[in-house]
Structures are given as C-alpha cells and as structure tokens.
Amino acid sequence: MKQVVEHQSDILVIGSGAAGLTLALHLAENSKVILLSKGPLSEGSTYYAQGGIASVFDEEDTIESHVSDTLVAGAGLCDPSVVSFTAENAKSAIHWLIRCGVAFDKEENKDGHISADAAYHLTREGGHSHRRILHAADATGKEVQVTLQECVRRHPNIHVMEKYNAIDLITTRRSNPPDNRVQGAYVWNRDSEQVETIKARFVALATGGSSKVYQYTSNPDVASGDGIAMAWRAGCRIANMEFNQFHPTCLYHADAHNFLLTEALRGEGAYLRRPDGSRFMPDFDERAELAPRDIVARAIDFEMKRLGSDCVYLDITHKPADFIIKHFPTIYQRCLEFGIDITKDPIPVVPAAHYTCGGVMADLHGKTDINGLYAIGEVAYTGLHGANRLASNSLLECLVFARAASEYIKSQLHKVPMPGNIPPWDDSQVSNSDEEVVIAHNWHELRLFMWDYVGIVRSDKRLERAMRRCSMLQQEIEEYYQHFRVSNHLLELRNLVQVAELIIRCAMDRKESRGLHYNIDHPNKSSHSKPTILQPDP
C-alpha cells in the first residue's frame, strides 16, 4: 500500500517571490508557516525585476502625485481607495525592507563617495511625474529576493518546501457550499513524483501572473497562472484578465531567453528608434519614450508591422559610457555576452508579455471569496492597477498587501481550528503517460494562438477564433488529465489553458479599447466602463 504523505501548518503560503516571502516573514512571528516554491526558492518573477519600487521619498514629490500617476496609467479602472492605501503605505513598506537588509542605491557626493546619511538615489520611469523609484542598480528584484529568502531560511517557524507544484486547493465546497472554507492543498513533489497533502488553517496564493500563456514573455518559466486557475476551480471570482501588460523592451536575440530591458533605461534618456535610426515615439505621444507601457508597446508593434521589421532599437549611446555602466551593470554585461556594447550600439528590442493586471478578486486584506484563502501580489486583482499597471508599482503591491494580509490573518488565528481529516489524493485509476508529445504539441499551440489572436492588438474575429481553439484544447487536456498521472508540464498546461479561457472571455466582454486592451473593432473608450468580473459555476 502506498504511503500517504501529509504536512500540517497554521498557514500555507504558495509562492516564493516578494509577496510570499514578505507574508511568511510577517506571519512567522507567532505561527508556523509552510512556504511552497515550485522551483528553487529564487526562481520567480521578483528575482528578475530590474527597475525598482515606487515610493515618495523626494521632498518635491507627494503621495497625491503618486496616486494621480497610478490613476492616469490605470485608464479609469483603478479603485481610488486602493491606490491611496498602497501609496500611503509605500514608505513604511520600503523601510521594512531596509531593516531586513535590502541595500538600495544612494546618492554620491561631489567626491564620488557615499556618506552614511546620503539620500537614496531615485530614478524615474514611464508614467511617473517625479523621480520616485528606489532601486539597487538595475537588479532591484534580485536584491529584494536574495535578502528576504535569506531571512526566511534563518527563521525557525518557516518550513520551506522547494520543487513542489500546487495542484488544487482543498475546500469544504462540496460538504458545505454556503460556507466554503479552504483546508489546504494537494501538491506534487517534483523529486519523488508523488502527490502529497498539506493541511492548513489559512492558505495564501502568491503565485504570480500568467504571462507564460503567451509565446513571447519576459517572465521565468514558473509564471503559468497556477494560483488564478486553482482559485477559479475552487470557486473564486476572477477579474480584468483582458489587461495583460506587454513590456515594450525585451532583448531581441536568438540566444537571449526572456531578458527584459528595464524601463529605467528610458527613464534615464534612452530613445526608441526605427531600423533607419529615426525616433518614432514623439509621433505617438507627447511624453515620447516616457509614455505608459501600453502606449509604447502598441507603438512598437505598429512600427514593426508597418515596416515588416523583426524589431526596433533602444538607444542610450548618447549618454556617457561610465554613466551607462554604473547605472545598468547587469544589462551592460548581459548584452556584451551577445556581442552588443550598449555604450556604443543600439539594442534590438521587441515587446513581450510581462504582467497580469487582473487576477483573483481580493480586498485590502487580501481576502478572497473563499474563507481562509488570501491572494497577494500579481495573482490578485485588488483594483490597484486598473487597465494598466504603472511602472514599479508591482513589487510595492507585494509588500503592502502582504503586510496587510498578515495583520488580518493574525487577528483570526485564534478563531480557526486546524481542519480535520482530508481525503488523500487518489491516483489508483490512472497510468503513466506514453504520449508526452501530446502535451508538447498542445503547449505550443496554446501559446502561439494566444500571441496571434489575444496579443497587443485584438479583434472580435481573432477572439472568437481563440475561444474555439481554446475550448478544443480544454477538452483534450482535461481528458488527458483524467487518465494519466500528473507531471510538471501537464499541471502547468492545465492551468494555462484555464487562464487562457478567462483572458479570452474577459476580452470578449469588453466592447471598448482601454489601457492594455486594444480591439480594432471597438477602438474608442466607453463612457461607462467598469471591471470585468467572471463568476465560476456553483
């Protein structure tokens, strides 16, 4: 008889980026936490975030200005109360990071030295009216990730489980639908290739976004929409999935896998140029290269299609070489590996799927529709980003909402008992797959038609085609899932095809163009726009 492996903890945190690590550290003060990571602890979007974290540190800047810039970028779909809450709590969240050991860049004095009381160096990115981006050179995410994961590994109340895929949430939905409560999750141990059970009083989804649903993405391989798909299957509402942010500038090179070129390059004066060397952003927006990402991405897409060009170019060669190398050392070194000296050569770039603005509906405490289930970071829809995310508000959201969720969970800990017996995973009726090629084929088809039909520019006909193909894939994948044992690729494919359906449904419901959603059949903004909310079947 096969041994059943069950784990137990006060809180299960699924995801190990900035949101998950921050939540775990705040909760571990007085409870036991299991932190689940699909790959190695550092393999998430946070580690690769280059730009920085937005917060008001300059005396000439104001919280009201940060709020205003966020609302403008969100194109009328942000929740103003959520935006204000985030901006007001930004500075304290940053100070908590600093106390944890995160080293943000500081201003040098005239002699090139940095004094102990030096001010933090602030940069500016697209959509911001002031310099308010704290950063650690051009590898802010790495600095945050490494610092926080070291704190997590040292904490006696946090048990880290690496190389585990969450399969599905365990809830009381079937036994008590009106009071649906989360009880834990089934997880797949990638080393033993066995399904295990984690029982917990509270579960938090911090699984990131779903940009892997597209053929070209700046995200790491783990960004497969797992939390969104699991929450939907468990009974949570999902909102605004049509708003997928395409980062305008990813390195275009056959051997460069998912390498993003930070917004801060344009913030420090880099120009976007056509292959003939001419600038084009002033033709599209008065803010030129500092326009919000959706405008810049569409402009690049338009120019590439108009010219039949494989890419455009990002050029910062007019700045001093030492300035470039000092402020963008990671990009400088990485590009050199591909024979591109950014102090002398324009950088070939293309847009790529980068950020999921929609997600699992959650309130200011991260609470979802299921009792005891929380969603924080990119997996969540809170109303902060609206129809487009303002640059460097993403890591900020992770920090602010993780702390808010932790405070609420702490207040509820004494009220919630540990769940009782949970049925073990039953795979007695399935077998090992002998046709892995089916997964590979469906994987490729899904990402290709999402890129072609549900990408930067959409149409009603493209969306209808995408939905037909998505429905066919769903049927095939679900049948496959019912008959064969789980694997990493099967679990991710199952989640991605579910997320694809949610994106397409939201896009079909929105009969206008706004923010990141642009439909050539509905090119104008509606005067009465609201979030797109999908409700799962009971």
Side-chain angles (χ1 to χ4, degrees):
M1 184 175 178
K2 188 173 69 175
Q3 183 179 6
V4 176
V5 180
E6 181 178 281
H7 309 269
Q8 179 175 306
S9 189
D10 294 318
I11 301 105
L12 167 62
V13 179
I14 304 175
S16 59
L21 294 171
T22 300
L23 181 64
L25 287 167
H26 281 302
L27 287 171
E29 297 169 7
N30 51 8
S31 55
K32 297 291 185 181
V33 179
I34 287 178
L35 181 68
L36 200 76
S37 179
K38 190 159 70 172
L41 199 58
S42 62
E43 186 60 22
S45 294
T46 294
Y47 186 87
Y48 297 98
Q50 295 175 358
I53 307 175
S55 181
V56 175
F57 271 69
D58 191 330
E59 292 182 358
E60 296 183 1
D61 194 7
T62 63
I63 289 174
E64 290 74 20
S65 178
H66 188 182
V67 168
S68 176
D69 291 344
T70 302
L71 293 175
V72 169
L77 279 188
C78 298
D79 183 329
S81 64
V82 174
V83 176
S84 295
F85 173 80
T86 307
E88 289 164 2
N89 285 279
K91 197 166 188 176
S92 59
I94 295 289
H95 281 303
W96 176 80
L97 275 185
I98 294 168
R99 291 196 298 273
C100 288
V102 172
F104 292 107
D105 287 1
K106 290 190 171 185
E107 294 281 6
E108 295 180 353
N109 59 27
K110 295 179 180 179
D111 299 324
H113 298 104
I114 300 173
S115 63
D117 59 348
Y120 287 102
H121 181 270
L122 304 173
T123 190
R124 184 181 172 191
E125 295 181 346
H128 288 274
S129 57
H130 291 82
R131 285 182 172 266
R132 64 168 69 98
I133 313 301
L134 285 91
H135 62 101
D138 59 350
T140 308
K142 180 179 179 181
E143 172 69 16
V144 170
Q145 179 74 32
V146 170
T147 302
L148 293 185
Q149 70 186 32
E150 287 176 356
C151 294
V152 160
R153 290 195 187 279
R154 290 195 301 265
H155 206 293
N157 283 347
I158 301 175
H159 175 49
V160 176
M161 295 173 62
E162 294 178 277
K163 297 185 179 179
Y164 275 83
N165 290 59
I167 301 173
D168 267 318
L169 298 168
I170 303 168
T171 73
T172 60
R173 186 178 187 180
R174 292 180 181 176
S175 60
N176 189 11
D179 185 30
N180 193 14
R181 181 166 194 91
V182 72
Q183 296 182 300
Y186 293 116
V187 301
W188 184 65
N189 185 328
R190 296 172 72 166
D191 287 333
S192 69
E193 297 189 350
Q194 298 295 321
V195 177
E196 302 174 11
T197 303
I198 301 178
K199 186 164 61 174
R201 294 195 278 170
F202 299 89
V203 176
L205 298 172
T207 52
S210 54
S211 289
K212 198 175 177 180
V213 77
Y214 289 102
Q215 185 178 20
Y216 302 109
T217 174
S218 66
N219 286 191
D221 285 342
V222 294
S224 52
D226 303 331
I228 296 170
M230 287 191 296
W232 173 259
R233 290 194 293 264
C236 288
R237 289 172 298 161
I238 304 294
N240 276 18
M241 290 297 291
E242 69 270 39
F243 297 115
N244 300 281
Q245 189 175 76
F246 290 81
H247 197 287
T249 54
C250 285
L251 180 62
Y252 179 73
H253 191 281
D255 298 324
H257 182 60
N258 301 353
F259 188 65
L260 177 149
L261 297 164
T262 175
E263 187 110 2
L265 278 161
R266 284 177 285 129
E268 294 296 345
Y271 297 135
L272 281 163
R273 301 187 185 276
R274 300 180 181 95
D276 66 2
S278 61
R279 288 179 66 192
F280 58 87
M281 278 311 303
D283 300 339
F284 290 88
D285 193 281
E286 62 183 8
R287 293 164 289 187
E289 281 80 7
L290 289 178
R293 289 177 178 175
D294 60 319
I295 295 172
V296 179
R298 273 201 303 277
I300 294 173
D301 183 71
F302 178 86
E303 287 296 314
M304 286 172 57
K305 288 176 178 174
R306 183 179 71 85
L307 298 170
S309 173
D310 291 332
C311 64
V312 295
Y313 294 86
L314 186 64
D315 184 9
I316 197 170
T317 58
H318 51 283
K319 293 286 185 177
D322 57 351
F323 172 89
I324 296 170
I325 295 169
K326 177 183 175 182
H327 283 81
F328 306 105
T330 305
I331 294 172
Y332 175 73
Q333 289 297 332
R334 184 66 170 155
C335 287
L336 275 183
E337 295 172 14
F338 302 113
I340 303 167
D341 182 346
I342 68 171
T343 66
K344 302 175 182 176
D345 308 317
I347 313 166
V349 295
V350 291
H354 180 60
Y355 191 87
T356 305
C357 286
V360 183
M361 292 192 71
D363 67 9
L364 286 176
H365 302 292
K367 291 193 297 178
T368 71
D369 294 331
I370 298 175
N371 292 325
L373 179 67
Y374 295 76
I376 51 173
E378 191 176 353
V379 71
Y381 165 78
T382 62
L384 172 62
H385 304 306
N388 186 16
R389 175 179 68 88
L390 182 67
S392 289
N393 270 353
S394 52
L395 289 177
L396 175 62
E397 179 186 32
C398 293
L399 303 171
V400 169
F401 281 85
R403 185 169 64 176
S406 72
E407 290 171 355
Y408 190 82
I409 292 172
K410 288 176 189 176
S411 73
Q412 302 297 306
L413 272 170
H414 67 286
K415 303 177 184 179
V416 179
M418 186 65 67
N421 292 331
I422 292 176
W425 181 264
D426 182 10
D427 59 3
S428 60
Q429 304 300 312
V430 300
S431 61
N432 290 318
S433 171
D434 58 356
E435 293 188 44
E436 287 289 330
V437 68
V438 174
I439 296 178
H441 175 79
N442 288 350
W443 184 278
H444 177 72
E445 181 180 354
L446 171 67
R447 300 181 75 197
L448 184 61
F449 79 66
M450 285 297 291
W451 182 262
D452 288 342
Y453 298 151
V454 201
I456 296 173
V457 177
R458 302 156 182 179
S459 71
D460 288 347
K461 185 174 289 187
R462 292 175 191 171
L463 294 174
E464 290 167 4
R465 286 174 179 161
M467 183 57 82
R468 284 197 299 271
R469 294 176 73 170
C470 186
S471 298
M472 292 174 61
L473 277 184
Q474 279 184 306
Q475 293 174 13
E476 188 170 327
I477 292 165
E478 191 55 35
E479 180 180 347
Y480 195 97
Y481 180 78
Q482 297 297 330
H483 288 87
F484 299 110
R485 287 193 173 89
V486 297
S487 66
N488 179 56
H489 285 159
L490 176 57
L491 291 172
E492 289 191 336
L493 181 59
R494 178 184 180 229
N495 289 334
L496 281 174
V497 76
Q498 178 60 76
V499 168
E501 182 210 341
L502 298 173
I503 293 172
I504 298 165
R505 284 177 59 183
C506 285
M508 293 177 82
D509 284 352
R510 185 163 294 281
K511 304 299 185 184
E512 64 164 349
S513 289
R514 181 181 297 269
L516 300 167
H517 172 75
Y518 188 82
N519 186 325
I520 57 176
D521 294 318
H522 309 280
N524 300 316
K525 287 184 181 179
S526 168
S527 58
H528 303 288
S529 188
K530 58 184 180 180
T532 308
I533 299 174
L534 301 180
Q535 176 78 51
D537 295 331

